Amino acid sequence: MLSVNIRNLILLVLGHCTLGSTAPMLVLINGFIGVRLAPSEAWATLGMGTLVAGTALSTLPAARLAQAYGRRRGFLAAVGLCLAGSALAMVSIAIQSFALFCVAMALLGSTLAFVQQFRFAAAENAEPQRISLAVSLILFAGIGAAMIGPRLGVVAVNWVPDYPYMGSFLALMLLAVLCGALMWFYRGATVTASATPTLRLPRKALWRADYTLGVICGATSFAVMSLVMTATPISMHHHQGLSLSDTSAVIQWHIVAMFLPSLLTGYVMQRLGVYWVALLGLLCNLACVYLALSGVTLTHYLAALILLGGGWNALFMAGTQMVATTHPGPERFQAQATNDFIVFACQGVASLCAGFLLAQIGWQGLNMVALAMLLICLMVWLHLVLIKQIGRVQTATE
């Protein structure tokens, strides 16, 4: 008979494959719907921006709900939000309302705030020395979401006659119901009044060096990934005339590249250390920008987006590991919520800016903005890691 922890990990993996399909599906179809409903192309990615804004604004309430009532109820609440957001999106398409569509995206973004807790829930079900492997398992489950989300989104486009893309949200509702059935059997730690912390960590105690670097790595990974990925479908399909099938394939392989390395990232992190995995992620993202600036053929887009996905995986996993291990006690809800709020606020700004930057300065200008963000993160990495290494040397010589 499976232990509770192993059963919980299996349920989290399956839950990520179902409800986690929300993000990859919307990454593909959001811009296309935006082009159809928005007043101009410059506003086409606003829906993606409100999606991420909904995620950012919901991180603190999601963490508090999980802290007060347990992870299980939090995940079930996410299912309800997904159903409501999908239904509202279908109505917005029916009445051709871009404003209502953006509201629906904000609701679906709230769903993703709970989906992000899958990785922290996995860490809670693992022994301390296996936290990186448990988190890797959840991120690897994203391959299922990457395969299901975009493909189902395209297949279901015409499920509802005369209303393109409405069927995609109907398919998303079916996935949400399946996730709800799975999460019903999840059994996390029992929440008691004594287990709930009454005091919040002061700022100085919260923002330790490792936690600070973890938050910056997570924020950079999502901001750069969201900026480039959100703009890619519009740049490929509407600007360069590449087919919808090619565009879907690039996004799909990008999302696979985000999660497939998770098979090795946890092991590599155990062998090399979290700092060097973070640096590897930065270098992959820098290579992505170089390729994106080199050309606009299908090969350039595909190679750049694969590198972008791999870089996100390494940088985000390193950031998650630093956040989870710096504050593993009762204060973890405060630390995780603060981290997720900053990460998804940065992603939201990047998503909101993607369409505007693409319209104003083009694909190459947008990638120069991504380059600037990566260089800032690299400077922070050098500063904090060097300080830590110098501290170790001084301690050893005393």
Side-chain angles (χ1 to χ4, degrees):
M1 186 174 180
L2 293 177
S3 68
V4 173
N5 286 351
I6 294 177
R7 186 188 66 182
N8 282 344
L9 284 173
I10 292 173
L11 290 172
L12 290 170
V13 167
L14 295 175
H16 200 281
C17 288
T18 51
L19 198 61
S21 296
T22 303
M25 180 188 292
L26 295 179
V27 164
L28 176 63
I29 67 174
N30 198 293
F32 300 146
I33 299 173
V35 169
R36 297 170 67 94
L37 300 181
S40 71
E41 186 180 290
W43 295 97
T45 61
L46 180 61
M48 194 67 188
T50 56
L51 176 85
V52 181
T55 303
L57 293 174
S58 300
T59 51
L60 295 176
R64 288 170 183 167
L65 191 153
Q67 180 181 1
Y69 301 104
R71 298 284 190 193
R72 175 175 172 268
R73 292 185 179 180
F75 295 145
L76 292 175
V79 170
L81 287 169
C82 186
L83 292 173
S86 298
L88 195 61
M90 293 172 68
V91 173
S92 71
I93 293 173
I95 66 175
Q96 296 289 292
S97 172
F98 184 61
L100 189 61
F101 176 72
C102 290
V103 173
M105 291 302 99
L107 273 178
L108 290 169
S110 299
T111 299
L112 297 178
F114 290 91
V115 171
Q116 292 303 319
Q117 293 189 5
F118 279 130
R119 70 191 197 277
F120 291 123
E124 293 170 2
N125 284 280
E127 298 175 0
Q129 67 273 19
R130 296 184 180 275
I131 288 178
S132 61
L133 296 177
V135 174
S136 294
L137 183 64
I138 297 301
L139 290 187
F140 178 68
I143 290 182
M147 301 304 293
I148 294 170
R151 187 57 56 190
L152 190 57
V154 171
V155 169
V157 164
N158 296 314
W159 277 8
V160 181
D162 301 325
Y163 294 101
Y165 298 103
M166 186 182 288
S168 301
F169 290 100
L170 181 60
L172 186 57
M173 294 177 75
L174 295 176
L175 289 175
V177 170
L178 179 56
C179 180
L182 292 168
M183 290 301 103
W184 186 263
F185 297 100
Y186 181 85
R187 294 293 181 270
T190 302
V191 178
T192 61
S194 61
T196 303
T198 57
L199 296 176
R200 291 172 58 84
L201 283 178
R203 184 176 302 177
K204 186 175 181 180
L206 176 66
W207 289 99
R208 299 173 188 172
D210 277 5
Y211 180 78
T212 300
L213 182 57
V215 171
I216 292 173
C217 286
T220 303
S221 69
F222 263 100
V224 172
M225 182 271 293
S226 185
L227 181 68
V228 177
M229 182 181 62
T230 301
T232 294
I234 298 174
S235 178
M236 286 185 65
H237 188 54
H238 289 281
H239 291 179
Q240 303 304 324
L242 294 171
S243 69
L244 178 60
S245 176
D246 285 341
T247 304
S248 174
V250 167
I251 294 299
Q252 193 168 21
W253 282 110
H254 160 70
I255 299 174
V256 169
M258 288 173 63
F259 300 112
L260 183 61
S262 300
L263 285 171
L264 297 176
T265 310
Y267 174 76
V268 172
M269 199 177 297
Q270 286 186 327
R271 295 297 299 271
L272 299 182
V274 67
Y275 304 120
W276 298 108
V277 172
L279 180 60
L280 177 63
L282 282 169
L283 294 177
C284 286
N285 277 328
L286 288 169
C288 157
V289 172
Y290 172 78
L291 280 171
L293 293 172
S294 300
V296 288
T297 67
L298 175 60
T299 302
H300 283 96
Y301 281 115
L302 180 60
L305 268 290
I306 288 175
L307 282 168
L308 180 67
W312 174 88
N313 180 277
L315 199 56
F316 181 57
M317 274 203 61
T320 297
Q321 174 81 354
M322 285 184 261
V323 169
T325 55
T326 304
H327 296 291
E331 77 281 4
R332 66 186 183 278
F333 291 101
Q334 177 192 355
Q336 294 165 12
T338 302
N339 169 74
D340 281 358
F341 175 78
I342 293 173
V343 167
F344 295 110
C346 291
Q347 186 190 11
V349 172
S351 298
L352 286 168
C353 292
F356 177 79
L357 291 174
L358 191 61
Q360 297 298 318
I361 59 178
W363 175 249
Q364 291 199 335
L366 180 142
N367 277 278
M368 291 300 293
V369 174
L371 176 61
M373 289 191 287
L374 290 169
L375 291 177
I376 291 172
C377 184
L378 180 60
M379 288 188 289
V380 173
W381 184 93
L382 289 169
H383 177 68
L384 293 180
V385 172
L386 286 177
I387 286 178
K388 197 172 188 69
Q389 295 300 324
I390 290 172
R392 288 177 177 175
V393 172
Q394 291 177 342
T395 302
T397 55
E398 289 177 355

